Amino acid sequence: MTASLLPDASPWRPPLRLHCAPVPVFQGGVEHGVPVVISRIFRDLAADQTGMLFVGDALLQVNGINVESATHEEVVHLLKNAGDEVTITVEYLREAPSFLKLPLGSPGPSSQPGSGASSPLFDSGLHLSGTSSNTAPSSPSSPVANEPKYEKRWLDALSLPLSMARVSRCRAGADTFRSSAIQVQALDGVSSGPLQFHTAQEHADWLRVVSANISELMLQNIKVANKCCSPCDQVVHMGWVSERLGGAGSSQTFRPRFLALKGLSLYVFVSPPVSTLDWVRAEKTYHLCEVLFKVHKLWLPDDCWAQASLSPGLQDPDGGDHAPFCFSVLVGHGGSHVFGVELGSELAAWELSFQRATFRAVQRTGSKTYACGGQGDTLRFTVDFALGFTCFDSKTKTVLWRFKFSQLKGSSDDGKARVKLLFQSLDTKQIEMKELEFQDLAAVLHCVHSFMAAKVASMDPAFMDTQSIAGRYMCSS
């Protein structure tokens, strides 16, 4: 499935501030019956470096002054006297190609899906007789035959394959998100560039429709991948997210990452796995029994904040996230990843999928055993889906104590290595405290949480649905 992205969807762009001359070359004016239009952009200078100006853009304002009905001379005068900094507002003019004597619909090199070429709605590459060479005859708009010319022109339409594609309001490396624009990037790297919309409703509608198509195609990809996997190693869910870089209070950036829940593991990829060999190329791999999924703040219609508890270092996830739908994946040794998605439905899907994948991992794993210390002895601590908690001597294998999941009444830890577990005796009803020390306390606590949640879910599946924060958001919406 592909999407045709039309320039009409994003004709207007916010004001751009250019530092230092020269500004682009313009043609037209009210005396010609057309607006003043950009006819040439010089490579690597201020107008080009913005990445937002293109041949065929019409001027609307210069430093806040409306120039839609101005003459060419008046616009040139304004620009010459604007100083070292000028702010301009532009829009795409569909009639510009014919006015500038450019071939309509063939503004540059071919950009077919899968070509690997840069193919946004507008192409910022070299346009020299349909090639990207640095020396070639000039385009029809240049009278100089052998002058290399750098032009950035609008394309009438671009078709992007949506299978494994990514849609986002935030570019990789950006620290803010666009409230009225989206950007689609295909699997082969071809990008639509930022697509702006007139209204918030149009923006929301397009974001939802494109995301829905990508999700539907992702389900088909999952089915294909699972045909090559054993029943115990099936893909539960996968898709694109934006990972937040930088801690609280520091400069934050985002990078795209592809997550997959498969078998017993959570995979973090730089690019999607398209073959069975790609699964070994994951950037990070975590055992699902030892990770903890946490939803960040969500605004619910009953005028209250629903917030999952967060580990130290994540107290203010809402402050710098590029989107309102964020979640954390807490891993061993106190590590964590903060991911964002564009829609509440995506967050709800990830929350449900993490639950399903973790419960399956717990049932297939059966038990996890960790080395630990207690009162100077070398011990082993086992979390077992059927038996509960067992502690035994690592040398003699003698069982020191055993409790069911239902007997765990509380716990506390020092955030480093030591944990206190409070169990209630079935006979005396007295509380017994067991103190243990682990090398990776976070992994053990996550494992205990996963096993207990899976145990509850196996006995009362409806209970877990009531605990879903994202699910509550979707139902309220």
Side-chain angles (χ1 to χ4, degrees), residues 169-212:
R169 289 179 289 165
C170 183
R171 283 181 176 174
D175 57 359
T176 58
F177 71 94
R178 303 180 183 90
S179 60
S180 61
I182 64 173
Q183 183 166 311
V184 182
Q185 183 167 320
L187 179 61
D188 59 3
V190 176
S191 173
S192 67
L195 303 178
Q196 303 261 351
F197 298 91
H198 286 295
T199 67
Q201 187 61 51
E202 288 180 352
H203 170 256
D205 290 344
W206 276 101
L207 176 60
R208 184 168 54 252
V209 169
V210 174
S211 296

Side-chain angles (χ1 to χ4, degrees), residues 228-365:
C228 304
C229 301
S230 64
C232 62
D233 198 32
Q234 296 282 290
V235 178
V236 175
H237 190 65
M238 60 184 184
W240 285 101
V241 297
S242 293
E243 182 178 12
R244 188 181 75 184
L245 306 178
S250 63
S251 176
Q252 295 173 354
T253 57
F254 304 89
R255 63 181 181 182
R257 284 296 180 266
F258 191 88
L259 302 186
L261 301 171
K262 179 176 181 287
L264 302 178
S265 302
L266 163 66
Y267 295 82
V268 182
F269 293 94
V270 175
S271 58
V274 295
S275 71
T276 54
L277 297 177
D278 290 339
W279 289 95
V280 299
R281 302 189 181 118
E283 183 181 51
K284 299 283 186 180
T285 304
Y286 302 105
H287 197 294
L288 280 168
C289 292
E290 296 180 344
V291 302
L292 195 61
F293 178 93
K294 291 285 188 178
V295 174
H296 286 200
K297 289 180 180 178
L298 285 175
W299 182 255
L300 299 179
D302 56 358
D303 295 331
C304 66
W305 283 103
Q307 181 181 14
S309 58
L310 298 169
S311 68
L314 293 173
Q315 285 86 351
D316 188 22
D318 195 53
D321 291 326
H322 79 283
F325 307 111
C326 298
F327 62 89
S328 294
V329 175
L330 312 182
V331 297
H333 295 289
S336 66
H337 297 272
V338 179
F339 299 111
V341 291
E342 301 296 340
L343 298 171
S345 57
E346 293 180 280
L347 180 59
W350 276 113
E351 184 181 28
L352 177 61
S353 298
F354 259 93
Q355 286 183 358
R356 289 174 54 202
T358 300
F359 296 167
R360 290 183 183 183
V362 167
Q363 292 174 342
R364 288 166 184 160
T365 301

